[in-house]
Amino acid sequence: MRRLLFLNGIKAFEAAARSGSFAGAGAELNVSAAAISRMVHLLEQRLGVALFERKANRLAMTAAGRAYQSGLTPIFDALASLTAQVTALSSVRVLTVGVGPTFAMRWLIPRLSDFRTDEPDIDVRITTGGAAAPFGDDWSCGIKLGDGEWPGLVAEPLFAADLLPVCAPRLAAQLKRHGDLRGPSLLRVAHASEDWPLWLKSAGVARITARGPEFQFYGQALQAAVDGLGIAMGIRPYIDDDLAAGRLVAPFALTVPKGMRWYLVYRSFRTEQRDFAAFRRWIIRAAAGPAIRGKLIGKIHRHAG
């Protein structure tokens, strides 16, 4: 165990040594000069060594006093700095969201400035949390794609995960019928191998097989589609902004439910926390945004006509 002798006396000595007088130390510590003198005297008794030479008009430190003060002042400075850091941390309102990288990049991050406008004092931190990632103990909430069944968690639906092919406008001009998909490269996502067969079956062209380049994440396949490499299977809401901006178009009107939805997931006690409640209200409202939904539907039907 640490052997800390008389901390009040140590504080009194360090202040007196730094200021050069008991009166100066007393003013700093809000006690009398006599009280400082008594505490320093008690400290010297407990240490068994003199720290000051008491002269008529001034204090002079002994060699032991100089050595003690040279070590104490940096310690007190570091303690003050650490205290300030801890105090600052306690005033920061942090909300940690576990979300997959593609969802974060393609939907959440572009909209976070709106949340910051509403709640400038809440620090939102994004951490990796894809569909297969376990719910982190430090998460305030997560955004997951699935069936809504996660034991121990509340799951509130945000989006239907609808599928529809998307591509660059130049390539879309070549696609008139579903059967035209036989020619271009159909870009694939490694963990979503069922997407193309599901959509092609619904379109009545189940004999067509996706044989294009394979990517690890939806975001990579969608970027490849923007760059004209082929046709990607789009999934809401990843494609909303690209469709609205015209970077991608949907050449066919047919959308097919993936059979899963996007959910906001969290532990039930979070509903009592003001910061989470604010984020929950915001993201549910943003997910239902009529402007984005309207732009998406308009793009689909305009290019299907």
Side-chain angles (χ1 to χ4, degrees), residues 102-131:
T102 302
F103 193 101
M105 294 297 295
R106 291 202 156 251
W107 192 86
L108 183 57
I109 291 174
R111 290 161 176 77
L112 273 183
S113 61
D114 294 337
F115 180 70
R116 291 299 300 274
T117 299
D118 293 344
E119 300 286 346
D121 296 329
I122 300 177
D123 180 12
V124 178
R125 299 183 182 178
I126 306 299
T127 187
T128 301

Side-chain angles (χ1 to χ4, degrees), residues 33-140:
I36 295 291
S37 178
R38 285 194 300 273
M39 286 189 284
V40 171
H41 183 65
L42 283 172
L43 176 64
E44 288 175 320
Q45 288 183 323
R46 296 184 185 192
L47 290 175
V49 64
L51 300 173
F52 287 114
E53 294 177 9
R54 291 161 177 79
K55 299 187 177 181
N57 296 319
R58 64 186 179 89
L59 286 176
M61 278 190 289
T62 64
R66 286 192 296 272
Y68 203 26
Q69 190 257 336
S70 68
L72 283 176
T73 296
I75 291 172
F76 279 114
D77 288 344
L79 182 60
S81 175
L82 178 60
T83 301
Q85 290 178 39
V86 171
T87 302
L89 284 174
S90 67
S91 65
V92 174
R93 296 159 58 187
V94 177
L95 190 140
T96 301
V97 183
V99 60
T102 302
F103 193 101
M105 294 297 295
R106 291 202 156 251
W107 192 86
L108 183 57
I109 291 174
R111 290 161 176 77
L112 273 183
S113 61
D114 294 337
F115 180 70
R116 291 299 300 274
T117 299
D118 293 344
E119 300 286 346
D121 296 329
I122 300 177
D123 180 12
V124 178
R125 299 183 182 178
I126 306 299
T127 187
T128 301
F135 192 91
D137 291 338
D138 61 330
W139 293 7
S140 305

Side-chain angles (χ1 to χ4, degrees), residues 114-230:
D114 294 337
F115 180 70
R116 291 299 300 274
T117 299
D118 293 344
E119 300 286 346
D121 296 329
I122 300 177
D123 180 12
V124 178
R125 299 183 182 178
I126 306 299
T127 187
T128 301
F135 192 91
D137 291 338
D138 61 330
W139 293 7
S140 305
C141 59
I143 300 170
K144 285 184 170 290
L145 178 64
D147 59 7
E149 296 296 327
W150 290 280
L153 298 174
V154 179
E156 291 191 82
L158 294 175
F159 306 96
D162 293 334
L163 301 172
L164 71 164
V166 292
C167 60
R170 176 175 50 82
L171 184 54
Q174 306 170 24
L175 303 172
K176 306 300 182 184
R177 298 177 300 277
H178 295 159
D180 294 338
L181 291 170
R182 286 188 176 86
S185 293
L186 304 187
L187 308 177
R188 298 173 294 152
V189 177
H191 64 80
S193 59
E194 73 284 356
D195 285 359
W196 270 114
L198 183 62
W199 190 90
L200 291 168
K201 181 179 180 180
S202 296
V205 286
R207 292 183 179 180
I208 296 177
T209 302
R211 301 183 185 277
E214 183 178 87
F215 299 90
Q216 185 176 4
F217 300 114
Y218 278 111
Q220 296 167 334
L222 292 172
Q223 184 59 51
V226 169
D227 293 335
L229 186 62

